[in-house]
Amino acid sequence: MGAEDITLSRRTALQGAGALVLGFLLPLKGVRAQGAARPMVTAPNAFLRIGADDSVTVLVKHIEFGQGPWTAAATIIAEELDADWAQMRAEHAPANVALYANTLMGIQATGGSSATAESYDQMRIVGAKARAMLVQAAANAWKVKPAEIRVEKGVISHAASKRQGRFGQFADAASKLPEPADVKLKDPAAFTLIGKDKSVARLDSAAKSTGKAIFTIDIHEPGMLTVVVAHPPRFGAKPASFDATDALKVKGVVAVKQIGSGFAVYAENMWAAIKGRNALKTVWDNSAAETRSSDQMFADYRALAAKPGRAVGTNKDAPEKPLPQGKLIEAEFLLPYLAHAPMEPLDGYMLWDGQTAKARFGSQLQTADQGAIGKVFGLPMEKVFIETMLAGGSFGRRAQTTAHFAVELAEVAKAIGPNKPVKLVWTREDDIKGGYYRPLFYHKFQGVVAGGKIAAWRNRVVGQSFMKGSPFESMMHDGVDPIVTEGADELLYAIGDFRCEFHYADSPITTLWWRSVGHTHTGYAVECFLDRLLQEAGQDPVQGRLALMAEKPRAAAVLKAVADLAGWKGSAAGNGRARGVAVCESFGSFVAQIAEVSIGDNEEPRVHKIWCAVDCGQTVNPDIVRAQMEGGIGYAVGHALYAEVPIVDGGAAIGNFDEYRSLRINEMPEVEVVIVPSSEKPTGVGEPGVPPTAPAIANALAHLGRERPSRLPIVRRV
Amino acid sequence: MAYQIKVNGTDHSVDADEDTPLLWVLRDWLHLTGTKFGCGIARCGACTVHMDGQPLRSCTLPISAVGTSEITTIEAVEGPEAKAVQDAWVAHDVPQCGYCQSGQVMSAVALLREVPKPNDRDIDLAMNGNICRCATYVRIRAAIHAASEKLGG
Amino acid sequence: MRSLVILLTCAIAALTSVALNATNKALPTTLQPVSAFATIKDPKARSVALFTEAGKVIQHPRCLNCHPATERPTQTDAMRPHEPLVVRGDGGIGAAGLRCITCHHNANFDPAGVPGNPKWALAPPEMAWQGKSLGDICRQIKDPARNGGRSMAELVHHMAEDELVGWGWHPGGKRTPAPGTQAEFGALIKAWADSGANCPA
């Protein structure tokens, strides 16, 4: 079987970057389908390759950058196929939207923590169809009834005739059979792999523990040039002119070309490219550049938040009421620009021969990248090929609304001319200084506590929208970008007198989704302020929340589960430690966390342990769910405590891990995870572990007698 | 100029500028790509190799300073500690994106060779130079303890 | 110089912030020559003045960073805790798995701003200088039990000739060099020793 064998029932040509709005639907609350969904492809030939050696290779449509889609897809397929785990393999599917569209988004894309959620049914059907076809092939060969054939752990057998065989010997015949129109899926009660702890091991662990896994940066091809691009120091600036005299004197530097995003230095190796760029003299057009600094932007945002904004979410159409009588509590929260800083910086390989473009890189939105590359070269989509590579992390960075990296890669290849393979590599400085940050956000709150209860809630949010004006603007409704206020516009808590408003703030500083997107800031602001009000009301952080969650049973269940796990007896933990709580719903999943915190060396908060309860619907790989909670918590701890990209005079003031402080093993808390059993549809796990962590830490600090940090990161160098 | 260096037991002649970091020599000259670039300033540990058995950040050692030292990369690291570490990494499904793990493994092997039974503090001190942005630290710690036990430490 | 301040909240920064090893004034860049102290008649006062001048070097971040009060060095002109977390370990060369030489090689590597020296190591605990007055450091330096068993002559030689001490004037990167030159510093220390090696209060 092979992907190329399939006859497409409907070949959909896409018309390049101008047509990037593709009936797009992200699984975001409040966003509806913008166009007809694509028919779900469930042809085994598109997703499976069964070798003569009995290996079953799953062609995975999602990029693997650690979140586990290879193992998840293989688990689901193996379950329905009744394969033995030892025969399962995985690799990336090619870029082909007709076959590999994300069923929720309509383009080939990984995002919104949707990989398992959107492909669970699809992969089950694929596996079940493949099983039926293998059984039919065996039945044909053995001249017996398919119903009499059993499949178990990769062995096909017919008891009465005492015959048995393996997948490899029937794969060829099976691939030529008509695809069954309808298949019966397994009763979940009979699952042996899906949701079964330790039933499978990750498919990529061995290669990644021995240095054998190949990432984009590892590509070397004959005649290949390595390219770095000099980008402008200020956001919004454009390349004007350059003097390459000194750069070209560097041994190994081959050429310097101006492209849209800067000046590209081509060299025989990475070190020559870096030295060449250092020697390059550049002139930038700063006429449209940002000039402000982070502090000025916060001041601007604060001034904007003093004015009424546009109401969203709960009660948005009701007239604003005056605040009721009671104790007025006010707070503000300032959240900085954050870089994703995946361990492998952005990189890509491109061979353009004038007729076709062949790219190899960690593409996360393959269809958008394909269209953008085609537009640069003037090629139709079908002449643009993307081999998706393993990527060293993303956290949102590789899912680019503007396909800016694919565009830069294509421009780099185009500028040097056809038939010259290029590998474009960003350095860490390019990465940290390069924008596409989690936007800087400002939250203003007013709350009223009366009679031991929360009587009113007012929240104004100010920040940038990266949807507005992008090819993804169709996700917006009536001018409202749901990402700006998701998590703040509807609460898990029943507070009758509720109002949430927002203002857009514009800047040439580029921004993007960052692991858990809007919840990165709303989770912090909302859960900190709620905890503040409960404290004022004299309520326990757990019991006070539960009392407001009558209509949110799944949220209440994870909160109860985490309180049980941690043996919650209130905020005090003894030994100079305190505990804080937070609960967030994101990407359809519910996560509650309790953080135990003290003040450690150098007066820095020390996070000792985080207890975590997650309800992500039906789990496929419990150990990957735990790993994603552990990793999401670590990512959140590191950024909450240490991380900021400060903007000074319109540009990033820092450029590497010496200043963009990253969590290290000695700062990693112990983590204990409980997965709340659920038969709901699978939902996300890559992102939902992040949002509750920072507010849980802040709330613990409050119960240590400190203020909840109103500005992140908590440890600031000033 | 041409430098003679010994990597993974093999002598190589490398024609490179004197300031070329060992990292880029390994990757772009010798195509030993298991050793990764993460920061270029010795702050992340992704480029960790062994020089005469000691862990070393290859991104900040110029080729002119390698001399007669023997370099070992992830492609050739071996011995009981290496096997125990890599087996434990797989058994605990430590890697997520995997990009930093070559460096993590090289640091962990170096630790266990010197400290067969490390406590959590030993692990913190040896491993905190290796950043993992996926934050697989919980499992790195567990895997090092498991490898230590396997080695009879 | 900016101090490392941990802000737990903007609003009540004064209550919750802690300044660490603050170096709030501009770092000195020059040393007065020994001759500048010739006019001081009282030998004891002259000796103290010479050491105080040499103290511009001794209490400079280039020197203090690796004479920490705890087992962890500091770094940068702002004297932040060294990241990653490194410790004195076995004989000042760091802990197993993350020795000083893991990152610090025989010479500064300026393309990355990473300093280096063949003798790169932390001073032993008895030679800790951070958090101490110049007078206390002076008495400590003279005490063979706390100066590595050095005689005064050996001490003068160490200050004037040692290559790791000398690194302080050639630190590379964005680091501010120690003031003056190692020769000027050595001359001040020798003159201080010759004038009775008196210490500030």
Side-chain angles (χ1 to χ4, degrees), chain A residues 131-132 135-136 138-140 144-151 157-159:
Chain A
R131 184 186 186 282
V135 165
Q136 185 64 55
N140 292 350
V144 300
K145 288 180 183 161
E148 294 169 358
I149 287 178
R150 284 170 52 87
V151 185
S157 61
H158 184 256

Side-chain angles (χ1 to χ4, degrees), chain A residues 602 706-707 709 714 716 718, chain C residues 3 5-8 12 18 83:
Chain A
N602 303 312
R706 312 274 172 145
E707 286 290 308
I714 295 171
R716 295 187 59 229
V718 296
Chain C
S3 56
V5 174
I6 292 144
L7 275 187
L8 288 164
I12 55 161
V18 174
E83 286 164 22

Side-chain angles (χ1 to χ4, degrees), chain A residues 85-98:
Chain A
W85 185 249
Q87 70 192 122
M88 299 305 293
R89 313 276 184 273
E91 61 185 53
H92 284 126
N96 184 335
V97 70

Side-chain angles (χ1 to χ4, degrees), chain A residues 398-522:
Chain A
R398 297 179 203 274
Q400 298 151 8
T401 53
T402 57
H404 75 89
F405 186 79
V407 169
E408 185 171 274
L409 176 60
E411 289 192 355
V412 160
K414 191 178 179 188
I416 195 74
N419 299 310
K420 297 232 175 79
V422 292
K423 180 168 72 176
L424 169 64
V425 181
W426 280 31
T427 61
R428 182 59 59 197
E429 286 78 9
D430 292 318
D431 174 57
I432 303 286
K433 289 178 178 287
Y436 298 91
Y437 303 130
R438 194 287 301 275
L440 180 136
F441 270 95
Y442 176 85
H443 279 256
K444 173 185 166 66
F445 282 94
Q446 290 182 311
V448 173
V449 174
K453 290 193 165 147
I454 299 172
W457 178 284
R458 302 279 186 275
N459 179 196
R460 278 190 197 138
V461 187
V462 183
Q464 284 170 257
S465 164
F466 51 81
M467 291 292 168
K468 199 156 62 85
S470 85
F472 287 54
E473 192 159 356
S474 66
M475 284 175 63
M476 293 171 56
H477 260 278
D478 192 22
V480 175
D481 175 354
I483 288 176
V484 171
T485 52
E486 62 178 350
D489 52 13
E490 292 173 20
L491 303 187
L492 296 170
Y493 312 104
I495 299 173
D497 188 354
F498 172 93
R499 193 168 177 86
C500 177
E501 302 174 358
F502 76 95
H503 293 276
Y504 290 130
D506 294 328
S507 167
I509 297 171
T510 48
T511 59
L512 195 60
W513 26 51
W514 185 100
R515 197 173 187 176
S516 78
V517 198
H519 301 280
T520 60
H521 61 94
T522 61

Side-chain angles (χ1 to χ4, degrees), chain A residues 15-27:
Chain A
Q15 294 107 41
L20 284 181
V21 182
L22 299 157
F24 204 89
L25 169 67
L26 281 178

